[in-house]
């Protein structure tokens, strides 16, 4: 934590100077439209890339087909789901981007007119739901990009309505004390909201130069708080799905600052940010799913993340998009943050698509507040072996009580799973106090969030301590042993020592060694969540079968094997069909070293 505060302090010091150097002239005499992300020659380069690359041609065709469907849909209407308008705001952003892109690349006016209709409808909403400011940020982003990209086609009347809405329903909302808290957050809210405010300010800067300058300055001072969390190695504490969300808006803000003001003010140079593409690459497994720790969904089918193209171009390293881009040769198009896909086409057009090589490493280690390691035996087959494990703390944003948990794939099958998050509204609508992170709060009673459903240790059926932290204590990076040790001691009241070492060898054999100490006799439960069919062979061995493959879980002496249902314990819990928990109970009195091996058969 001290290191994180130091990084934030240094970043703020740097950005304070840079923010104060913003020239009044940049806002009183801004560049002509379009000035957000698009620059001279971008459309020409994009069209050339689409003609050259079959993968880009697939994406281009997908965008235009989607825009054609949007032409026949009614414009968005104000409709909240619980406390959120976010679904509607994202719908508007998607329609504006897809239709604007289709106009810019085909010059067919019907797409521009449809985007204009969508923006005018959103501009006429009474508000953009400022009580949940992510909604305001995404809607402001939508109208700012559409207003800027289609500026020359919009009538003065349309420009006036859209610009007024950006100012009154977007920018001025961030000036209210009740909403300004996002400036102080060290998570995706900071990134998404700052992006929306910056794009809105830059889009209308000739109309409101002083307001625009103030908004950009505030965001440049605020954004380092979130950016510092990528240090030291790029691990995004909220997980891979939230990496896509927060980082997408971060990149859009960086690109908008560059295109409109000629400088990103060094935002992207913060420690760990550029390296975070490695983190996200290793969070995608050989079967195309994610290591879905924290509030991230358990998707069963592969999705692509074209945002990686920005990092590939920025780093000059095409290995960043190797796995993702290759999937576009034949896999169905399922895109993370689908609404942002048109923007990624400009980033892809900057890449050397004829020079894409596999990543140079098969092992990733990331420190920080949510330490992680991940190993994969290769990059070319769904049958490649994969192991990843994490430490961390339940006190982090969107965290679960999953410190010490691991994901394991062998033979194209995921054996150790994470059930993933549950839809927020499904819990909020039943009165669950979901966002209370305090010890003993109802959040930790949600089955998928508490300790008992994760592939980790529990004691006496209790949850981990919210304030406990599990740092990475050692790393193993040898040809026959990849992995790490996590110190879980502070997660438990009953254990004075709990150190978990998880390693894998070249054969795909996994070893989980828990070094435990308790001053009083207690029972510790070793759990693994799985979709496999399970047969109990004896107290120390369990046979798992799945998709024609088999795996043995073998524990050291003193173990008592178990198989437990994942039926929801509460009426508000989501069903967990096809999954169960397996593992062992072991008595701990003073010092115990408990070993479990995962041994693929065949």
């Amino acid at each position: 934590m001290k290191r994180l505060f130091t990084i934030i302090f240094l970043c703020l010091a740097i950005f304070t100077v840079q923010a104060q150097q913003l020239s009044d002239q940049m806002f009183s005499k801004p560049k002509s439209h379009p000035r957000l992300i698009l620059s001279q020659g971008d459309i020409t380069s994009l069209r050339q890339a689409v003609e050259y690359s079959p993968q880009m041609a697939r994406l281009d065709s997908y965008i235009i087909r989607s825009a054609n469907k949007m032409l026949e849909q009614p414009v968005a209407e104000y409709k909240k789901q619980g406390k959120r308008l976010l679904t509607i705001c994202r719908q508007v952003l998607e329609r504006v981007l897809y239709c604007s892109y289709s106009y810019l690349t085909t010059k067919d006016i019907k797409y521009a007119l449809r985007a204009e209709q969508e923006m005018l409808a959103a501009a006429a909403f009474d508000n953009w739901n400022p009580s949940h400011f992510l909604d305001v940020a995404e809607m402001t982003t939508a109208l700012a990009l559409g207003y800027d990209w289609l500026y020359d086609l919009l009538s003065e009347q349309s420009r006036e309505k859209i610009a007024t809405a950006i100012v009154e329903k977007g920018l001025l909302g961030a000036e209210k004390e009740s909403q300004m808290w996002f400036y102080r957050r060290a998570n995706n809210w900071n990134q998404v909201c700052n992006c929306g405010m910056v794009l809105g300010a830059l889009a209308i800067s000739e109309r409101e130069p002083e307001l625009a300058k103030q908004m950009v300055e505030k965001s440049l001072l605020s954004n380092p708080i979130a950016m510092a969390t990528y240090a030291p190695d790029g691990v995004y504490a909220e997980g891979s799905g939230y990496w896509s969300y927060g980082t997408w808006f971060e990149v859009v803000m960086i690109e908008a600052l560059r295109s409109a003001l000629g400088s990103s003010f060094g935002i992207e140079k913060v420690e760990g940010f550029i390296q975070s593409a490695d983190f996200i690459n290793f969070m995608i497994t050989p079967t195309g799913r994610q290591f879905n720790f924290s509030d991230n969904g358990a998707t069963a089918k592969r999705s692509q993340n074209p945002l990686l193209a920005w990092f590939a171009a920025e780093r000059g390293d095409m290995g960043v998009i190797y796995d993702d881009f290759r999937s576009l040769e034949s896999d169905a198009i399922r895109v993370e943050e689908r609404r942002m896909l048109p923007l990624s086409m400009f980033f892809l057009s900057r890449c050397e698509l004829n020079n894409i090589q596999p990543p140079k490493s098969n092992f990733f280690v990331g420190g920080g507040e949510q330490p992680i390691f991940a190993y994969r035996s290769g990059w070319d087959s769904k049958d490649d072996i994969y192991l990843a494990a994490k430490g961390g703390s339940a006190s982090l944003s969107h965290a679960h009580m999953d410190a010490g948990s691991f994901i394991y794939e062998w033979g194209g099958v995921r054996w150790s799973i994470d059930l993933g998050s549950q839809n927020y509204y499904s819990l909020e609508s039943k009165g669950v106090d979901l966002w209370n992170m305090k010890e003993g709060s109802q959040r930790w009673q949600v089955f998928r969030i508490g300790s008992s459903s994760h592939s980790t240790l529990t004691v006496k059926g209790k949850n981990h301590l919210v304030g406990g932290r599990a740092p990475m204590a050692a790393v193993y990076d040898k040809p026959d042993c990849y992995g790490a040790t996590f110190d879980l001691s502070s997660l438990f009241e009953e254990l004075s020592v709990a150190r978990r070492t998880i390693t894998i060898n070249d054969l795909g054999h996994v070893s989980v060694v828990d070094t435990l100490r308790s001053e009083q006799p207690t029972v510790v439960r070793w759990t693994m969540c799985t979709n496999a069919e399970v047969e109990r062979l004896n107290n120390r061995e369990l046979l798992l079968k799945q998709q024609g493959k088999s795996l043995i879980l073998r524990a050291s002496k003193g173990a008592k094997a178990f198989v437990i249902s994942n039926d929801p314990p509460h009426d508000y819990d989501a069903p967990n069909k096809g999954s169960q928990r397996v593992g062992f109970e072991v008595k701990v009195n003073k010092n115990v070293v408990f070993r479990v091996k995962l041994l693929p058969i065949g």
Side-chain angles (χ1 to χ4, degrees):
M1 288 296 289
K2 289 182 179 179
R3 186 176 189 278
L4 178 61
F5 289 141
T6 301
I7 293 169
I8 292 174
F9 176 79
L10 292 174
C11 290
L12 285 172
I14 295 169
F15 283 106
T16 298
V17 174
Q18 293 173 332
Q20 291 172 346
Q21 292 175 346
L22 285 175
S23 170
D24 290 333
Q25 187 175 3
M26 290 179 178
F27 293 91
S28 59
K29 296 181 180 180
K31 293 180 180 179
S32 60
H33 297 280
R35 54 174 172 254
L36 299 182
I37 301 174
L38 289 182
S39 59
Q40 192 70 28
D42 278 349
I43 300 299
T44 300
S45 297
L46 173 60
R47 296 311 309 164
Q48 290 173 346
V50 168
E51 291 177 9
Y52 166 80
S53 166
Q55 290 93 334
M56 285 198 68
R58 280 193 74 198
L59 292 173
D60 177 75
S61 176
Y62 175 82
I63 294 170
I64 293 175
R65 287 199 312 272
S66 299
N68 285 332
K69 294 178 182 178
M70 294 171 187
L71 295 176
E72 301 177 0
Q73 295 171 348
V75 294
E77 297 180 354
Y78 191 99
K79 186 177 181 181
K80 291 172 66 175
Q81 183 182 55
K83 64 181 180 181
R84 297 174 182 82
L85 187 66
L86 195 53
T87 297
I88 300 301
C89 297
R90 289 174 172 175
Q91 182 184 79
V92 172
L93 178 53
E94 182 173 298
R95 290 175 175 179
V96 169
L97 283 177
Y98 277 65
C99 290
S100 297
Y101 171 95
S102 297
Y103 166 73
L104 291 170
T105 54
T106 69
K107 297 303 179 185
D108 192 328
I109 193 67
K110 66 185 179 184
Y111 298 115
L113 294 175
R114 183 63 182 82
E116 180 182 16
Q117 290 174 346
E118 200 70 46
M119 288 189 288
L120 289 173
F125 287 0
D126 288 341
N127 60 68
W128 293 342
N129 198 34
S131 62
H132 191 258
F133 209 76
L134 284 180
D135 308 1
V136 176
E138 293 221 25
M139 191 70 91
T140 304
T141 299
L143 267 64
L145 288 169
Y147 175 85
D148 179 66
W149 286 8
L150 304 176
Y151 186 86
D152 291 338
L153 288 170
L154 298 173
S155 67
E156 184 55 42
Q157 184 180 34
S158 290
R159 290 177 192 167
E160 181 64 29
K161 289 180 180 179
I162 296 168
T164 298
I166 289 172
V167 172
E168 295 181 355
K169 297 180 174 70
L171 304 182
L172 293 181
E175 297 291 274
K176 296 179 180 179
E177 188 63 34
S178 60
Q179 311 305 333
M180 293 178 70
W181 58 269
F182 75 79
Y183 285 121
R184 302 184 292 272
R185 291 293 289 269
N187 64 2
N188 69 85
W189 277 73
N190 180 304
Q191 298 174 296
V192 176
C193 295
N194 274 315
C195 174
M197 298 307 99
V198 166
L199 264 66
L202 294 175
I204 55 84
S205 57
E206 66 268 49
R207 291 172 176 258
E208 298 279 355
E210 188 57 35
L211 174 63
K213 184 178 180 224
Q214 290 174 5
M215 297 302 297
V216 173
E217 286 177 345
K218 272 200 277 191
S219 290
L220 286 176
L221 292 173
S222 161
N223 189 234
I225 297 171
M227 291 294 277
T229 62
Y230 288 88
D233 306 302
V235 173
Y236 200 77
E238 296 177 287
S240 56
Y242 278 100
W243 178 91
S244 296
Y245 186 37
T247 306
W248 246 118
F249 282 84
E250 190 70 46
V251 165
V252 169
M253 181 168 66
I254 290 168
E255 287 291 308
L257 289 167
R258 286 176 174 176
S259 60
L261 302 182
S263 173
S264 63
F265 303 93
I267 290 175
E268 72 282 0
K269 292 182 173 61
V270 169
E271 182 183 12
F273 181 66
I274 295 299
Q275 292 77 21
S276 71
D278 298 325
F279 158 71
I280 203 64
N281 260 324
F282 275 91
M283 292 302 97
I284 306 301
T285 74
T287 62
R289 300 165 70 184
Q290 298 179 359
F291 179 13
N292 54 315
F293 66 87
S294 296
D295 271 342
N296 290 272
T299 54
K301 296 181 179 179
R302 184 188 180 93
S303 59
Q304 297 89 20
N305 201 328
L307 175 58
L308 290 169
W310 184 87
F311 288 87
E314 199 76 9
R315 289 166 48 161
D317 177 7
M318 297 304 108
V320 171
I321 60 173
Y322 177 79
D323 190 43
D324 201 71
F325 201 67
R326 187 169 52 86
S327 78
L328 287 169
E329 294 174 359
S330 57
D331 290 356
I333 296 175
R334 300 184 186 90
V335 181
E336 291 284 329
E337 307 300 333
R338 179 183 183 273
R339 63 199 177 286
M340 312 296 270
L341 176 59
L343 291 167
S344 68
M345 296 294 283
F346 298 105
F347 307 151
L348 279 165
S349 68
R350 302 174 190 173
C351 294
E352 298 178 52
L353 300 180
N354 61 343
N355 186 34
I356 301 178
Q357 301 296 322
K360 297 175 183 178
S361 176
N362 288 356
F363 187 55
F364 173 83
V365 177
E369 292 294 289
Q370 196 80 280
I372 286 172
F373 82 80
Y375 166 80
R376 52 185 301 162
S377 61
W379 293 92
D380 292 311
S381 172
K382 70 179 183 66
D383 292 329
D384 288 332
I385 301 164
Y386 180 87
L387 176 69
K390 67 179 293 293
S393 171
S395 65
L396 299 172
S397 178
H398 286 287
H400 289 193
M401 288 180 165
D402 56 7
S405 66
F406 62 98
I407 295 293
Y408 175 56
E409 292 184 0
W410 172 83
V413 175
R414 178 170 291 199
W415 298 94
S416 179
I417 70 169
D418 188 305
L419 292 172
S421 61
Q422 182 174 338
N423 178 272
Y424 300 154
Y425 181 67
S426 72
L427 293 165
E428 293 168 343
S429 63
K430 294 181 179 178
V432 175
D433 190 9
L434 184 58
W435 303 110
N436 182 347
M437 306 286 284
K438 294 180 181 179
E439 194 76 58
S441 74
Q442 194 176 17
R443 174 181 178 82
W444 311 119
Q445 304 308 313
V446 175
F447 182 69
R448 293 191 183 183
I449 296 178
S451 306
S452 64
S453 67
H454 292 98
S455 299
T456 186
L457 298 174
T458 53
V459 180
K460 295 182 179 179
K462 294 182 180 179
N463 275 324
H464 292 174
L465 296 174
V466 175
R469 295 181 181 274
M472 187 179 287
V475 174
Y476 312 99
D477 184 4
K478 298 179 180 179
D480 62 344
C481 181
Y482 297 95
T485 295
F486 301 95
D487 188 349
L488 312 182
S489 304
S490 67
L491 304 180
F492 308 102
E493 291 178 334
E494 297 83 0
L495 300 177
S496 55
V497 174
R499 291 168 66 89
R500 166 163 280 197
T501 298
I502 305 179
T503 58
I504 189 168
N505 64 20
D506 290 341
L507 297 175
H509 297 176
V510 175
S511 173
V512 183
V513 180
D514 292 306
T515 302
L516 310 172
R517 179 177 175 83
S518 175
E519 306 310 319
Q520 300 293 330
T522 191
V523 175
V524 175
R525 175 174 285 178
W526 188 106
T527 301
M528 190 178 89
C529 198
T530 186
N531 292 126
E533 296 178 2
V534 184
E535 178 184 350
R536 179 174 168 174
L537 301 179
N538 52 61
N539 265 343
R540 293 177 51 201
E541 291 184 315
L542 294 164
L543 176 63
L544 280 60
K545 295 182 179 180
Q546 197 173 180
Q547 298 180 29
K549 307 289 175 61
S550 298
L551 176 84
I552 284 183
L553 282 181
R554 179 176 296 152
S556 54
K557 292 180 179 180
K560 183 180 180 181
F562 65 79
V563 181
I564 306 176
S565 166
N566 276 344
D567 289 343
H570 311 106
D571 61 1
Y572 53 73
D573 283 316
N576 304 295
K577 294 179 181 179
S579 73
Q580 53 194 325
R581 285 165 289 165
V582 301
F584 308 92
E585 290 186 343
V586 59
K587 293 181 180 179
V588 178
N589 188 9
K590 301 300 182 182
N591 299 309
V592 169
V593 177
F594 184 64
R595 294 178 170 85
V596 177
K597 292 187 179 294
L598 285 69
L599 305 171
I601 299 175

